[in-house]
Amino acid sequence: MATTTPSILESIFLKRSQQKRKTSPLNYKKRLFVLTEAKITYYEYDFERGRRGSKKGSVDLEKVVCVESVEPEENPPPERQIPNREDSADTEQITIIERFPYPFQIVYEDGPLYVFAPTEELRKRWIHQLKHITRYNSDVAQKYHPRFHQDGQYLCCAQTAKNALGCQLLQGANGIRTNERSQRRSRKPLPPAPTESQAKASKPLPPAPTSPVTSVGPRKVIAMYDFTPMNAQDLLLQKGEEYLLMEESSGQPWLRARDKNGQEGFIPGNYVTEAQDPLEIYEWYSKNTTRTQAEQLLRTEDKEGGFIVRDSSKAGKYTVSVYAKSSGEGIIRHYVVCEAPGNQYYLAEKHLHTSIPELIRYHQHNAAGLISRLKYPVCSVRRAAPSTAGLGYGSWEIDPKDLTFLKELGDGQFGVVKYGKWRGQHEVAIKMIKEGSMSEDEFIEEAKCMMKLSHQNLVQLYGVCTKQRPIFIITEYLSNGCLLSYLKEVRKKVAQGDLLSMCSDVCAAMTYLESKQYLHRDLAARNCLVAEDGTVKVSDFGLSRYVLDDEYTSSLGSKFPVRWSPPEVILYSKFSSKSDVWSYGVMMWEVFTLGKMPYERFNNSEIANQITRGVRLYRPQMATERIYNVMSSCWEEKPDDRPTFRGLHSGILEIMEDM
Ligand code: ADP
Ligand code: MG
């Protein structure tokens, strides 16, 4: 017996004959249309008995390239006419079965299949559902024919071939936004690219693709931040403006782009997005704000209707946090933005919107189920633009004449670190490398690779000055300094949620490094820095390889970070992402003890001994069992038993969301 797949929709529609043979008549028949995940099938329908009759045909949904309504015919017969007022005395039942005034088209290989729905609502529902199911199809069209193919031609553009390329641009190909499509996971392997003659021979032409593999022509992006050129090759960016990318260089920190006036130059890749209406340009959006931070901001503002839109802990979802006052008490609710089929969004009640900005605009005027209407966008500090990978395109060698030294920040393994400005404007930190403390040539070679690492939780390397001695390393400046000192300073004033969010920041950076297969080798609270707004960033990644100091590099040396090292590093110097994971667990412990020294009462050689015998750090008072479980999982004896950073990060985000 054949297994039947459940139907998603079933409706009686009028179907126009497809006239596969030139001589076959143009007729209209009532059919029962049944939609499943894989197919549309249409059947005869026995109205007397209310039963499905024999199958008359079907369309494989994988082959569908476009689903769209069609403009009504000029002088339709009564059967396909919208009933006028007198007729509306007809009962609903009669209307549904007798009149089919709302046509739509399902376009696939053979050309369009025209179907007529009895009500506008039903047409809309089918189009949405079909678009949703076919949204990842490999050939979704960018253009369509708004009018019928009739008497041998399209009424809109007079093209004769049924599979002639559409003449009008769709609102987002098949209703799906470009950014979503470029991230698509294909349900099926993409078909081999057709040869030129095949492509000409038949079928609607494929859409202008958006994936990097097949990309032709420039891609459109929108600036999320202003960017002022730093050198002659850079191009100015204005927030909210559109730019065209001139070459496919995804993953590169600098992209060649053109603005609307035809000016070309390089722009920082992390300043633009392919999204059509990026949230980043709205003041109410705070991407990396956690639940706890959002609550804090809303309470501080203490304004009825204060709100923040932020990324939810569930990947790809957004949360709207709203503040309201009820009898003087501030209350906060977090609403997850829900998605309905057909790319629609809603919050508390089902008021559907086609984009998140539109949904927010709606709720700025209507509470519609929320504790308050969204009256007052609360921003997380002034949203600073992210660091660029270097100070302008291709500039990794920095002219020391462009630097002004303003104050000393501290002293480290390589010498003095100073705060200063580049060209009198951009804040930077300058490491002045004490001669003899670093294998400089090797580092300078590596610096070119390090420059390309760019993440909001990594201290950005801007460049180097290598033409003089001492050489300088120029990085992003973080005004709150080293995390270890910061923890000791903020003691008592800090909540568990803040500590977790610090750990989450570090974990995000480490997940990024892990994905690039780049090892830190010296992760610890002393090598993390704190920004003005409290964001934590990871610093000094990979630098330990260039240290010239046996006390630091030998696992028996007095400066070797034994307290942060797993057994395999202490015993065999075996570094891996999993040894970074161990160090991360220790860093988490430092955070939750507000900067205590790990294994306080032991010296280095005692620690090596204890660790290999299975002794581990205790649970800090500020860490719950759940948090302690996360850090402990980093200290599994066998590297393979430890989680990945990616896994750790989702665990931490889950705890934060439940707090
Ligand atoms: P090293 O890694 O060479 O041992 P550090 O990076 O630890 O040196 O720098 C020494 C001190 O200088 C740090 O503890 C911190 O207080 C300060 N510092 C270093 N880099 C920065 C920076 N980018 N922004 C702000 N302060 C910094
Ligand atoms: Mg350091």
Side-chain angles (χ1 to χ4, degrees):
M1 209 176 85
T3 47
T4 51
T5 36
S7 67
I8 299 166
L9 291 171
E10 291 195 23
S11 303
I12 289 163
F13 292 149
L14 209 57
K15 175 186 166 292
R16 196 181 94 167
S17 61
Q18 284 178 288
Q19 291 180 293
K20 290 193 180 155
R21 269 170 286 122
K22 280 223 160 67
T23 50
S24 58
L26 186 60
N27 59 32
Y28 298 82
K29 290 198 170 122
K30 283 181 210 165
R31 295 282 180 239
L32 171 70
F33 280 75
V34 177
L35 174 68
T36 63
E37 254 334 298
K39 274 180 199 303
I40 284 186
T41 313
Y42 42 94
Y43 301 87
E44 274 182 333
Y45 190 72
D46 181 344
F47 284 90
E48 306 240 316
R49 302 211 189 117
R51 268 215 314 249
R52 175 193 292 187
S54 59
K55 174 176 158 180
K56 302 304 283 183
S58 70
V59 177
D60 198 339
L61 293 184
E62 281 200 338
K63 298 194 179 131
V64 170
V65 297
C66 172
V67 185
E68 201 54 67
S69 54
V70 189
E71 279 177 30
E73 300 157 282
E74 302 245 7
N75 285 309
E79 188 189 32
R80 301 195 296 277
Q81 242 170 47
I82 298 174
N84 53 33
R85 287 199 180 276
E86 283 102 73
D87 294 335
S88 62
D90 290 353
T91 65
E92 182 92 26
Q93 192 59 29
I94 292 169
T95 317
I96 286 174
I97 305 198
E98 297 309 328
R99 287 182 191 256
F100 299 87
Y102 301 101
F104 67 100
Q105 53 185 318
I106 301 163
V107 187
Y108 63 113
E109 299 179 311
D110 293 356
L113 164 67
Y114 294 115
V115 182
F116 295 72
T119 66
E120 194 155 20
E121 200 277 329
L122 208 53
R123 171 170 73 174
K124 218 160 131 187
R125 189 177 320 163
W126 272 75
I127 292 178
H128 270 315
Q129 198 56 257
L130 279 164
K131 281 188 176 192
H132 186 72
I133 297 174
T134 59
R135 69 196 183 284
Y136 298 135
N137 283 3
S138 50
D139 283 341
V140 276
Q142 310 272 311
K143 288 180 165 184
Y144 79 118
H145 296 282
R147 300 184 63 192
F148 287 97
H149 188 274
Q150 206 166 300
D151 305 322
Q153 64 171 42
Y154 277 105
L155 299 175
C156 40
C157 59
Q159 293 187 85
T160 52
K162 273 195 190 150
N163 55 19
L165 195 61
C167 58
Q168 189 162 316
L169 210 58
L170 277 160
Q171 280 284 52
N174 218 0
I176 303 297
R177 287 166 182 267
T178 354
N179 60 326
E180 186 176 328
R181 295 182 55 223
S182 59
Q183 289 164 11
R184 72 190 181 194
R185 300 263 181 281
S186 204
R187 294 196 282 172
K188 52 175 182 183
L190 292 174
T195 62
E196 210 174 306
S197 57
Q198 277 173 327
K200 275 185 198 147
S202 67
K203 285 188 61 157
L205 285 175
T210 50
S211 76
V213 204
T214 44
S215 183
V216 288
R219 280 189 296 152
K220 240 195 317 198
V221 291
I222 291 176
M224 299 182 284
Y225 309 93
D226 290 336
F227 169 70
T228 316
M230 293 174 166
N231 67 30
Q233 297 190 69
D234 298 347
L235 178 70
L236 176 112
L237 288 180
Q238 281 179 297
K239 187 164 136 179
E241 288 287 326
E242 256 178 31
Y243 297 84
L244 290 176
L245 295 188
M246 302 319 294
E247 58 202 45
E248 186 49 65
S249 39
S250 68
Q252 294 299 313
W254 292 89
L255 307 171
R256 197 167 172 79
R258 180 193 292 163
D259 67 17
K260 59 173 191 270
N261 304 319
Q263 292 270 37
E264 281 187 26
F266 285 90
I267 56 168
N270 53 342
Y271 277 47
V272 293
T273 172
E274 276 190 66
Q276 285 187 347
D277 194 2
L279 303 186
E280 281 81 356
I281 65 172
Y282 294 94
E283 55 182 340
W284 38 254
Y285 180 56
S286 303
K287 187 176 178 57
N288 292 306
T289 301
T290 63
R291 187 188 180 100
T292 334
Q293 286 168 336
E295 293 188 351
Q296 218 163 37
L297 286 164
L298 292 169
R299 284 196 202 287
T300 313
E301 290 290 341
D302 192 32
K303 286 206 171 86
E304 168 78 21
F307 74 101
I308 290 180
V309 182
R310 58 190 175 87
D311 290 7
S312 150
S313 61
K314 297 195 184 58
K317 299 244 182 259
Y318 300 93
T319 302
V320 184
S321 301
V322 190
Y323 185 82
K325 283 170 148 178
S326 110
S327 56
E329 274 290 292
I331 45 169
I332 294 171
R333 289 278 178 287
H334 304 275
Y335 303 91
V336 176
V337 176
C338 304
E339 271 186 81
N343 246 343
Q344 304 207 86
Y345 302 92
Y346 63 93
L347 273 182
E349 289 171 3
K350 266 209 167 185
H351 298 281
L352 296 175
H353 305 278
T354 51
S355 71
I356 293 176
E358 197 187 286
L359 172 147
I360 297 299
R361 268 191 292 276
Y362 172 79
H363 283 285
Q364 285 180 311
H365 302 288
N366 308 283
L370 309 185
I371 49 166
S372 161
R373 115 185 130 74
L374 309 178
K375 291 182 192 161
Y376 180 78
V378 174
C379 324
S380 60
V381 205
R382 78 205 131 73
R383 196 177 327 128
S387 308
T388 52
L391 300 165
Y393 170 70
S395 320
W396 63 280
E397 180 73 46
I398 288 171
D399 186 343
K401 285 205 271 320
D402 285 335
L403 299 168
T404 329
F405 296 85
L406 293 169
K407 69 173 183 204
E408 192 162 318
L409 293 171
D411 211 350
Q413 181 62 33
F414 298 114
V416 178
V417 184
K418 291 198 172 170
Y419 162 74
K421 293 246 168 122
W422 180 76
R423 295 195 181 157
Q425 192 189 0
H426 295 273
E427 298 192 301
V428 290
I430 307 152
K431 272 191 187 190
M432 309 172 78
I433 307 301
K434 194 164 58 189
E435 279 174 74
S437 69
M438 175 186 266
S439 21
E440 294 180 357
D441 293 344
E442 284 175 48
F443 168 76
I444 292 166
E445 209 31 56
E446 169 70 10
K448 290 177 213 166
C449 289
M450 281 187 180
M451 293 266 300
K452 291 190 186 138
L453 297 171
S454 188
H455 184 272
Q456 67 267 20
N457 297 109
L458 276 187
V459 176
Q460 181 66 51
L461 175 62
Y462 285 147
V464 287
C465 305
T466 61
K467 307 279 186 245
Q468 87 288 317
R469 292 295 177 271
I471 65 164
F472 301 156
I473 299 178
I474 319 296
T475 68
E476 176 183 1
Y477 166 72
L478 286 96
S479 63
N480 275 311
C482 160
L483 174 62
L484 187 59
S485 332
Y486 183 78
L487 286 166
K488 292 176 180 170
E489 278 161 32
V490 296
R491 274 191 188 157
K492 298 209 174 80
K493 290 180 292 185
V494 65
Q496 199 177 54
D498 301 328
L499 300 180
L500 211 45
S501 128
M502 293 175 184
C503 295
S504 165
D505 286 347
V506 175
C507 205
M510 294 307 297
T511 305
Y512 171 80
L513 289 184
E514 178 181 69
S515 76
K516 302 270 172 197
Q517 287 157 15
Y518 198 98
L519 308 185
H520 190 297
R521 295 164 192 262
D522 194 9
L523 181 59
R526 66 179 174 281
N527 279 334
C528 297
L529 295 167
V530 186
E532 181 66 27
D533 66 356
T535 305
V536 177
K537 304 197 185 196
V538 173
S539 170
D540 294 340
F541 33 95
L543 267 196
S544 66
R545 288 169 294 167
Y546 309 104
V547 173
L548 293 175
D549 181 349
D550 287 345
E551 290 299 326
Y552 181 91
T553 50
S554 153
S555 63
L556 298 171
S558 60
K559 295 186 196 159
F560 189 83
V562 173
R563 292 166 206 273
W564 287 265
S565 300
E568 75 274 11
V569 165
I570 298 175
L571 297 172
Y572 328 107
S573 305
K574 195 176 178 314
F575 290 93
S576 65
S577 284
K578 297 296 179 125
S579 62
D580 277 349
V581 166
W582 178 292
S583 315
Y584 176 80
V586 181
M587 185 238 47
M588 250 184 112
W589 186 91
E590 293 180 274
V591 168
F592 277 89
T593 55
L594 305 176
K596 279 213 169 104
M597 168 80 93
Y599 319 95
E600 243 173 334
R601 291 175 296 122
F602 297 113
N603 66 30
N604 277 5
S605 58
E606 284 166 343
I607 292 164
N609 217 318
Q610 298 281 344
I611 285 300
T612 44
R613 283 169 44 199
V615 176
R616 295 293 183 266
L617 291 163
Y618 60 85
R619 177 170 73 84
Q621 256 177 23
M622 294 207 53
T624 59
E625 274 302 331
R626 216 170 150 195
I627 294 170
Y628 185 58
N629 282 341
V630 173
M631 62 178 90
S632 300
S633 68
C634 302
W635 306 323
E636 288 289 345
E637 167 95 33
K638 293 202 196 100
D640 285 348
D641 293 344
R642 296 171 209 151
T644 58
F645 280 109
R646 200 192 158 90
L648 278 169
H649 198 211
S650 50
I652 290 171
L653 292 175
E654 254 172 49
I655 300 178
M656 286 168 79
E657 204 56 31
D658 292 346
M659 277 173 76

